[in-house]
């Protein structure tokens, strides 16, 4: 546990939400936004939060550009191609 580190991927966009019934009911999100966030996480680096260009644009519009540090290289994500 002393080596625990997280990777986080964020993407902004529309999602569909619903409650799935079964043995245990659960709330679930669906859609391309969720898939893109998952790809951002899986290609991310330990201890870092990776955001999509759409999310970065929203942060900059909100005056939070100081929260962003551009990656040096582009990322190739499965099913998404090259992401910034």
């Amino acid at each position: 546990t002393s080596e625990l580190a997280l990777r986080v991927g964020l993407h902004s966009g529309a999602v569909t939400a619903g409650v799935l019934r079964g043995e245990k009911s659960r709330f679930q999100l669906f859609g391309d936004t969720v898939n893109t966030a998952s790809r951002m996480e899986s290609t991310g680096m330990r201890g870092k939060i990776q955001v999509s260009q759409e999310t970065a644009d929203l942060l900059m519009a909100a005056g939070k550009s100081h929260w962003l540090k551009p990656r040096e290289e582009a990322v190739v994500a499965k099913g998404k191609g090259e992401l910034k």
Side-chain angles (χ1 to χ4, degrees):
T1 57
S2 63
E3 296 295 317
L4 181 66
L6 296 176
R7 291 184 317 206
V8 177
L10 297 176
H11 181 61
S12 299
V15 296
T16 301
V19 176
L20 299 178
R21 302 269 182 215
E23 235 176 84
K24 285 176 90 175
S25 294
R26 65 181 192 257
F27 185 76
Q28 183 114 18
L29 297 175
F30 304 94
D32 187 58
T33 300
V34 176
N35 294 336
T36 302
S38 175
R39 300 292 187 247
M40 299 301 292
E41 178 274 326
S42 65
T43 59
M45 298 163 49
R46 284 180 58 178
K48 304 282 184 187
I49 299 172
Q50 182 165 280
V51 301
S52 65
Q53 186 63 53
E54 288 83 351
T55 301
D57 292 342
L58 290 170
L59 287 170
M60 287 186 276
K64 304 295 183 187
S65 58
H66 61 282
W67 289 0
L68 302 170
K69 179 181 175 190
R71 282 187 77 143
E72 307 227 345
E73 70 282 347
V75 175
V76 177
K78 179 182 168 188
K80 294 290 171 190
E82 193 172 282
L83 302 172
K84 291 184 178 181

